[in-house]
Amino acid sequence: MKRYIVFLKQVPASTKVGIDPVTKTLKRSSALTQTNPDDLYALQAALDLSRATGAEVVAVSMGPASAEEVLREALQRGADRAILLSSPAFAGSDTWCTSLVLASAVRRIGEYDLLFFGRMAIDGDTAQVGPEVAGQLDIPQITCLSVIENVSADRICVSRRVGNLTQRMEVKTPCAVMVSRENGELASPTLSGWRRAQAQEITRWSETDLGLDRSLIGLYASPTKVVTTAVPQVTKNIRWLDGGGEVFAIIQSFVQPSC
């Protein structure tokens, strides 16, 4: 049986997010959230391909209990089943520790053909997790996907963007694919999909289920150390102008005299 695994992340829906003064990480519980945009395009790519191949689509998210909303959306859009990786031990994981957790989940799920990732998350912009998971699993990776042209029993033929050029590739599966919004358009979710998603059970796995040592994951195991984080302070100086003469004087003060 063919199987595609899609990874989705819950991210803040606003820039007004608090920062923990001790851990220097985002206070995700205090923010409005959404599914990371690129991840939705990765899901769409997997769903489109599954219609032609009959593959099972498994949605996976790592995060707090609230990340279940991301998986409900994936189920509503057409994913066959969903798995939430959630534990206090995962909190604060950088991209390396996150990739370790995700790769362990892939191994537990079992046989697969393709892993789909959004190119990057809007709350980090590192574009590292997908490639790192591919590295953990020792499988090929395809970045900057443009079009999936066809899939055979053991290969996938794609086009990808390389600067201003387009590169055609034939890659042996299993492999990991990084997708962004340039890949296509999202299909609209349906009411029947919503009903199915609300009724479906979401599987939950912790570090125990994945066979992971707590000392290898989480904030303190992460090799990336954030020294300090600050929210930029924006101030405005507003001045009311009474007439055209005052406006002209201000403009003239900014104009440099010609040589």
Side-chain angles (χ1 to χ4, degrees):
M1 178 182 181
K2 283 187 170 295
R3 178 180 290 131
Y4 305 149
I5 305 175
V6 186
F7 297 89
L8 305 104
K9 185 179 182 182
Q10 184 185 56
V11 296
S14 169
T15 57
K16 296 180 180 179
V17 183
I19 296 174
D20 189 301
V22 177
T23 63
K24 310 300 182 184
T25 58
L26 298 179
K27 292 182 179 179
R28 298 182 184 275
S29 61
S30 65
L32 296 174
T33 61
Q34 63 178 334
T35 304
N36 183 58
D38 279 358
D39 297 351
L40 287 177
Y41 287 90
L43 174 63
Q44 188 66 57
L47 292 172
D48 290 343
L49 192 60
S50 72
R51 293 188 187 97
T53 62
E56 177 190 38
V57 177
V58 183
V60 177
S61 184
M62 172 180 161
S66 61
E68 182 177 306
E69 296 175 9
V70 168
L71 296 174
R72 294 286 176 200
E73 181 176 7
L75 292 170
Q76 179 182 5
R77 290 180 177 274
D80 296 296
R81 59 188 175 106
I83 301 170
L84 176 62
L85 310 177
S86 187
S87 168
F90 298 155
S93 292
D94 67 355
T95 59
W96 174 257
C97 287
T98 297
S99 70
L100 182 64
V101 174
L102 299 185
S104 297
V106 171
R107 294 187 185 99
R108 170 147 192 191
I109 291 171
E111 292 185 8
Y112 63 94
D113 298 274
L114 295 170
L115 305 181
F116 286 85
F117 296 85
R119 186 173 65 91
M120 66 169 57
I122 60 174
D123 63 346
D125 289 353
T126 64
Q128 294 174 352
V129 172
E132 285 181 357
V133 172
Q136 296 272 8
L137 298 171
D138 194 24
I139 61 174
Q141 57 180 280
I142 303 169
T143 58
C144 304
L145 177 73
S146 294
V147 178
I148 297 177
E149 297 182 3
N150 61 72
V151 178
S152 63
D154 64 346
R155 296 180 186 277
I156 180 172
C157 185
V158 304
S159 295
R160 64 185 290 267
R161 294 291 297 173
V162 183
N164 295 323
L165 303 176
T166 298
Q167 181 183 36
R168 295 186 73 249
M169 303 174 63
E170 187 177 77
V171 181
K172 191 171 182 179
T173 56
C175 70
V177 184
M178 317 317 150
V179 185
S180 65
R181 62 191 67 195
E182 290 77 17
N183 183 249
E185 295 185 359
L186 296 178
S188 299
T190 63
L191 179 58
S192 60
W194 180 85
R195 288 172 175 162
R196 185 178 67 88
Q198 299 311 307
Q200 197 159 343
E201 183 178 353
I202 293 177
T203 302
R204 293 173 180 260
W205 288 344
S206 68
E207 73 280 7
T208 303
D209 299 304
L210 299 177
L212 288 170
D213 188 331
R214 292 173 67 97
S215 66
L216 300 178
I217 53 179
L219 178 65
Y220 298 105
S222 298
T224 304
K225 304 301 179 186
V226 180
V227 177
T228 185
T229 305
V231 178
Q233 300 299 317
V234 179
T235 58
K236 296 181 180 180
N237 184 13
I238 300 175
R239 175 182 170 188
W240 293 99
L241 304 177
D242 295 329
E246 196 170 359
V247 174
F248 178 76
I250 291 175
I251 294 175
Q252 193 174 40
S253 68
F254 287 102
V255 176
Q256 297 296 326
S258 57
C259 299

